[in-house]
Amino acid sequence: MLQPGKLVIASHNQGKVREIRALLEPFGIEPISAGDLDLPEPEETGRTFAENALLKAHASAKGSGLPALADDSGLCVAALGGRPGVYTADWAERATFEGEPGRDWYMAMGKVEGKLAELGSDVDRSAYFTCTLALVWPDGHEEVFEGRVNGSLTWPPRGKLGFGYDPVFIPDGHEQTFAELEPADKQAMSHRADAFKKLVAEIF
Ligand code: IMP
C-alpha cells in the first residue's frame, strides 16, 4: 500500500516527470523528482523495459529512503522488428559541442523515418508506445506494471506539445499526433496512463 505523502519519481526526463506528476495528483501523493534530489541517473544496462525500470526505481529508493516510481518506455515499430524498443532513448543520443552526450529527438525521429523509407513507400507504419512502471519501496519490495498504446507513424513531425517522439505518433482512432493533442487528451489514452491505471488498481 502506498500512503499519502512523499514519493520519488525516478526520472530525469522532464516530459515523463510532468506526466507522472499529473497522474499522481489526485491521490494525495507528493512527488519529488530524482533530479530535484540530485540522485544520480543510473546507467540503463537492462535488456528489457522491466529490468531498466526496476534498476532506476531501486537506485532512487536506496538513495532517498522513500518509495520510488520509475518509468521505462519506448517506441516499437512493427516494420523495424520492434525497434528502437528498449533503445528508444539511445537513438536520440549525440555528442554536443562540449563533447557531452545530449539528446536530439528530431534526429531520432529522422532515424526511424529513414529506416522506414529504406523499406519502400508502402511500408507498414504501425507502431506502439509501451511503458513499464516499477514501484520500489526502501525495504526492497517491488511491483511492475505495463501499459501500451497502438498507433502509426507520420512524417514530417507535427505539433509542439508533449516530448520525445510525440510529433510523429498518431494514436489509433485519431488524426492528431500526440504532440498536437492537449496534454489531458494524451493522458487519457497514453501507454503511461494505461500502466498507471493498473498500478492504481493494485496499489491504492
Ligand atoms: P527511457 O525510458 O528513459 O529509456 O526513455 C524512453 C524514451 O522513449 C524517452 O526518452 C522518449 O523519447 C520515448 N518516449 C517514452 N514515452 C514517450 C511518450 O509518451 N512520448 C514520446 N516519446 C516517449
Side-chain angles (χ1 to χ4, degrees), residues 80 90-93 106-116 155:
L80 303 183
D90 298 343
W91 281 30
E93 231 146 70
Y106 274 82
M107 179 194 75
M109 290 186 280
K111 207 185 274 187
V112 171
E113 184 59 26
K115 292 195 185 297
L116 280 180
W155 193 260

Side-chain angles (χ1 to χ4, degrees), residues 171-191:
D172 280 352
H174 294 262
E175 288 179 358
Q176 290 171 300
T177 67
F178 262 177
E180 292 175 312
L181 288 167
E182 288 303 321
D185 293 334
K186 175 184 172 189
Q187 201 78 310
M189 67 180 101
S190 80
H191 49 312

Side-chain angles (χ1 to χ4, degrees), residues 69-194:
L69 179 63
D71 162 318
D72 203 63
S73 40
L75 178 71
C76 303
V77 183
L80 303 183
R83 288 187 301 155
V86 76
Y87 303 108
T88 299
D90 298 343
W91 281 30
E93 231 146 70
R94 69 148 34 141
T96 61
F97 292 121
E98 295 81 25
E100 289 291 318
R103 291 202 170 132
D104 180 338
W105 300 109
Y106 274 82
M107 179 194 75
M109 290 186 280
K111 207 185 274 187
V112 171
E113 184 59 26
K115 292 195 185 297
L116 280 180
E118 283 169 16
L119 299 174
S121 55
D122 60 350
V123 67
D124 173 10
R125 302 187 65 85
S126 61
Y128 63 89
F129 272 124
T130 180
C131 171
T132 301
L133 292 176
L135 182 56
V136 169
W137 281 260
D139 66 3
H141 178 75
E142 57 187 43
E143 302 273 353
V144 173
F145 306 92
E146 281 170 22
R148 170 173 170 156
V149 58
N150 293 319
S152 62
L153 298 178
T154 188
W155 193 260
R158 300 194 324 243
K160 300 233 174 296
L161 302 168
F163 67 98
Y165 294 69
D166 279 343
V168 291
F169 185 82
I170 302 179
D172 280 352
H174 294 262
E175 288 179 358
Q176 290 171 300
T177 67
F178 262 177
E180 292 175 312
L181 288 167
E182 288 303 321
D185 293 334
K186 175 184 172 189
Q187 201 78 310
M189 67 180 101
S190 80
H191 49 312
R192 193 158 290 107
D194 186 32

Side-chain angles (χ1 to χ4, degrees), residues 1-10 24 29-34 37 39 56-70 134-142 203:
M1 203 48 195
L2 197 59
Q3 304 301 333
K6 283 204 164 62
L7 171 83
V8 179
I9 304 176
L24 285 167
I29 305 284
E30 193 187 319
I32 329 163
S33 76
L37 289 175
L39 294 173
K56 290 185 273 192
H58 275 287
S60 281
K62 198 167 164 208
S64 67
L66 294 168
L69 179 63
L135 182 56
V136 169
W137 281 260
D139 66 3
H141 178 75
E142 57 187 43
I203 301 296

